[in-house]
Each structure stands twice: as structure tokens, then as C-alpha cells.
């Protein structure tokens, strides 16, 4: 890892990334795309050393409370979080100033901050978002090799629900010819129902590829799925959006199942929920369990 000084920390929509780069090794990672202008090796994590100071300054200046977001470009619970605890401290700052918080992760390290997440959720709103792509553990280790497995993430979602923290699942990407099966989608949806997720985001059964992540993806296909790269090139060429041939069938299954179990599945409704700040109680001392 290496450290840099950032000029700012919050985006226009109050999102932030304390780290840049990742160590999870997911074969499909869009954050590798050249359009994001990451001028260092992807696995050499960039740490914004002044991020927490900038965050506190930004929250002090805000005229009204809002939801803060983290994890859109880099998982906030990378292994180095155990040492640096930037995400942990960002949560503490949000709690101190009464802001809501939502984060996206694939790591069960999120449970280490469960008392903080619970405290924020008592005071305002805290939502944990977690990606699930494949129910099969062996396949999971191939496409997401250095992160918590699907079963570990499902258990984390259960523990979050038991603590009263709402959860959103990202059902993506679904890789054509690899995990785009009816069985896989049914098993993931069944797990989501079992752990009472509030919503599931799915923008189609497919994956997006562009310069930077396409090359990495194809190298990994050559290693993990011999012959699959050629199948992709034949089917999709250089397209950005690679939809599964089973997209219509699987999306119908997805929407029908979510509707039956009262799970939010319209992206606009979910994003509206994630962005909506709630003030639950005033002038309280939040419990840390």
C-alpha cells in the first residue's frame, strides 16, 4: 500500500472512498477499468491519509444531515482495514455528527463494526449492502478468490438482520455461461429470503466489460475456464454489456420471486431508500450493545 493526500473526500452525492484498489481478486472487477484513471497497480492499495480529517471538516460544514456512502469503487473492509481502521473511524465520525451511513462490501469484516453500525441505525439509518454472485462455494473461489465466500456473506447478512440493520444485496454480475443458471439464481434468492434482506439490486443477468477490466477478465478466464474466453469473444465481440442468453427467463424469475416475498427489487426505489435520511431519535446516547 501507499499513502496520498486527498484534496477532498465527499462526492456531490456524499459518497467517498478511503482506499483505491483492491485485493479481493474478483475476475470481473469494473474498478480495474482505465476510465477511472488509477495510476498505480490495482493491488497496491492507495490510502488517503488525510481522509478522516477531511470527512470531519466536511460534516461540520454541512447545513443538513444526510446519508453517507462508502465502497462504490473499493471495498471498505480490505485486509489492511484491520490495521488502519479508516472505515471504523469514518463510522465513528458519522455517529458523532449524526449522519446516516450505507456501505458496500463483500467481506465479513463488516461484523467487527457491528456495534457502531447498530448505534448509527438507532440514531438515524445504517444500511449494509453486500454482493452475491454465485451460491456454489467452489465456483465462488474461482471468480472471487480472496474474499469471504458466499456462505460466509450470507451468515453475515443474517447477523446484521438479527441486529436490526437493514441489508441490500447486489445480485451481480451474473457471468454468461458460468453462473447464469436457474439453480444459482434460485439458491441466492432463497438465501436472501431466509435472511430477510430488504432489497435486491439486479440490472440484468450479465456483466459489463471495458478497457482495463476486459483484459484482466479474459486472462482469468484462460486460467480458470479454458476455452471460455473464445466463447465470449465469439458471442459478444467487444461489447460493453454482455447479457446472458437466459436474461429474460432469469429476470422474470428474479422479479417474480421478489414480488412474492415483498423484497424491494426496483432499482429506483432501492436507491431512493438508500439516499433517504431518517432522524429516529434526538439527544440520545446511542448504545454500543
Amino acid at each position: 500500500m501507499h499513502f496520498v493526500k486527498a484534496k477532498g473526500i465527499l462526492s456531490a452525492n456524499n459518497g467517498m472512498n478511503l482506499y483505491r484498489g483492491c485485493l479481493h481478486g474478483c475476475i470481473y472487477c469494473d474498478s480495474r477499468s482505465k476510465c477511472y484513471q488509477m495510476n498505480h497497480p490495482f493491488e497496491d492499495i492507495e490510502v488517503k491519509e488525510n481522509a478522516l480529517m477531511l470527512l470531519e471538516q466536511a460534516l461540520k460544514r454541512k447545513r443538513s444531515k444526510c446519508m453517507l456512502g462508502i465502497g462504490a469503487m473499493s471495498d471498505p473492509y480490505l485486509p489492511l482495514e484491520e490495521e488502519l481502521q479508516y472505515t471504523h473511524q469514518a463510522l465513528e465520525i458519522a455517529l458523532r455528527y449524526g449522519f446516516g451511513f450505507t456501505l458496500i462490501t463483500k467481506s465479513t469484516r463488516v461484523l467487527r463494526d457491528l456495534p457502531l453500525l447498530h448505534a448509527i441505525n438507532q440514531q438515524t439509518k445504517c444500511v449494509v449492502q453486500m454482493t452475491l454472485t454465485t451460491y456454489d462455494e467452489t465456483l465462488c473461489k474461482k471468480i472471487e478468490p480472496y474474499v469471504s465466500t458466499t456462505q460466509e456473506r450470507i451468515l453475515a447478512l443474517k447477523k446484521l438482520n438479527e441486529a436490526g440493520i437493514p441489508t441490500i444485496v447486489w445480485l451481480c454480475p451474473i457471468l454468461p455461461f458460468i453462473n447464469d443458471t436457474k439453480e444459482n439464481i434460485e439458491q441466492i434468492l432463497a438465501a436472501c429470503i431466509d435472511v430477510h434482506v430488504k432489497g435486491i439490486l439486479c440490472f440484468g443477468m450479465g456483466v459489463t466489460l471495458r478497457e482495463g477490466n476486459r483484459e484482466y477478465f479474459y486472462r482469468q478466464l484462460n486460467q480458470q475456464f479454458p476455452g471460455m474466453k473464445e466463447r465470449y469473444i465469439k458471442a459478444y465481440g467487444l461489447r460493453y454489456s454482455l447479457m446472458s442468453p437466459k436474461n429474460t427467463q432469469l429476470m422474470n424469475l428474479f422479479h417474480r420471486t421478489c414480488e412474492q416475498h415483498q423484497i424491494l427489487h426496483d432499482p429506483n426505489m432501492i436507491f431512493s431508500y438508500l439516499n433517504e435520511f431518517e432522524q429516529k431519535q434526538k439527544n440520545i446516547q446511542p448504545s454500543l450493545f
Side-chain angles (χ1 to χ4, degrees):
M1 67 179 174
H2 65 282
F3 292 85
V4 300
K5 285 191 179 294
K7 294 181 179 179
I9 191 62
L10 288 181
S11 67
N13 61 355
N14 299 304
M16 60 180 148
N17 285 289
L18 306 175
Y19 310 122
R20 292 194 78 201
C22 192
L23 298 171
H24 291 340
C26 301
I27 69 173
Y28 49 74
C29 182
D30 177 70
S31 293
R32 292 180 181 271
S33 300
K34 287 189 176 181
C35 63
Y36 299 121
Q37 300 178 338
M38 195 172 296
N39 300 316
H40 59 86
F42 194 69
E43 287 77 15
D44 179 15
I45 308 302
E46 179 181 286
V47 181
K48 299 176 182 179
E49 61 180 339
N50 59 336
L52 298 170
M53 178 189 70
L54 291 173
L55 175 61
E56 187 156 16
Q57 291 174 348
L59 299 191
K60 284 181 179 179
R61 292 193 300 265
K62 281 194 173 291
R63 296 181 179 179
S64 58
K65 300 293 192 294
C66 63
M67 291 292 292
L68 305 175
I70 191 171
M73 287 293 296
S74 181
D75 197 304
Y77 287 101
L78 297 173
L80 53 77
E81 170 64 17
E82 296 182 17
E83 173 190 352
L84 299 180
Q85 296 196 4
Y86 274 34
T87 298
H88 178 86
Q89 293 177 74
L91 289 168
E92 289 181 325
I93 293 170
L95 176 63
R96 187 181 312 138
Y97 289 95
F99 283 76
F101 213 100
T102 183
L103 59 89
I104 307 172
T105 185
K106 292 180 185 173
S107 175
T108 59
R109 289 187 187 89
V110 66
L111 295 177
R112 301 183 182 203
D113 283 335
L114 190 54
L116 268 175
L117 301 172
H118 181 263
I120 293 173
N121 197 51
Q122 280 188 313
Q123 183 172 278
T124 58
K125 182 171 73 180
C126 183
V127 186
V128 173
Q129 305 172 60
M130 194 164 280
T131 301
L132 299 178
T133 61
T134 178
Y135 195 81
D136 182 273
E137 293 288 87
T138 301
L139 182 56
C140 179
K141 282 296 186 181
K142 287 186 176 182
I143 66 177
E144 301 160 342
Y146 307 120
V147 70
S148 303
T149 68
T150 299
Q151 296 306 316
E152 291 169 341
R153 282 176 249 170
I154 290 170
L155 180 58
L157 287 167
K158 180 179 180 182
K159 291 181 178 179
L160 289 162
N161 174 68
E162 290 171 350
I165 297 168
T167 55
I168 299 292
V169 162
W170 288 68
L171 181 58
C172 62
I174 301 300
L175 307 178
F177 319 126
I178 296 177
N179 62 336
D180 61 338
T181 66
K182 181 173 181 284
E183 179 184 24
N184 181 49
I185 302 305
E186 286 179 335
Q187 288 176 320
I188 293 176
L189 291 175
C192 290
I193 294 164
D194 185 56
V195 300
H196 304 287
V197 303
K198 185 175 184 66
I200 305 175
L201 280 165
C202 183
F203 304 97
M205 301 292 172
V207 64
T208 58
L209 297 179
R210 47 188 162 187
E211 186 179 6
N213 80 314
R214 176 184 287 109
E215 292 79 1
Y216 183 82
F217 180 65
Y218 281 162
R219 287 198 300 272
Q220 299 307 308
L221 286 187
N222 280 336
Q223 293 181 20
Q224 301 291 348
F225 308 94
M228 188 62 73
K229 172 185 174 181
E230 290 72 24
R231 187 174 182 183
Y232 266 71
I233 293 173
K234 182 178 179 180
Y236 301 107
L238 294 176
R239 293 184 204 171
Y240 166 68
S241 180
L242 287 60
M243 283 298 166
S244 165
K246 305 173 185 176
N247 178 59
T248 300
Q249 171 194 350
L250 296 178
M251 286 302 291
N252 286 339
L253 169 64
F254 164 69
H255 288 301
R256 183 171 64 249
T257 303
C258 289
E259 198 70 31
Q260 290 173 351
H261 294 274
Q262 291 80 53
I263 297 174
L264 291 178
H265 55 104
D266 177 83
N268 291 328
M269 292 181 64
I270 293 175
F271 286 126
S272 176
Y273 167 73
L274 291 172
N275 291 324
E276 183 181 4
F277 176 78
E278 299 176 13
Q279 185 70 58
K280 295 179 180 177
Q281 298 182 51
K282 296 182 179 179
N283 301 320
I284 63 169
Q285 293 296 322
S287 168
L288 294 184
F289 286 168

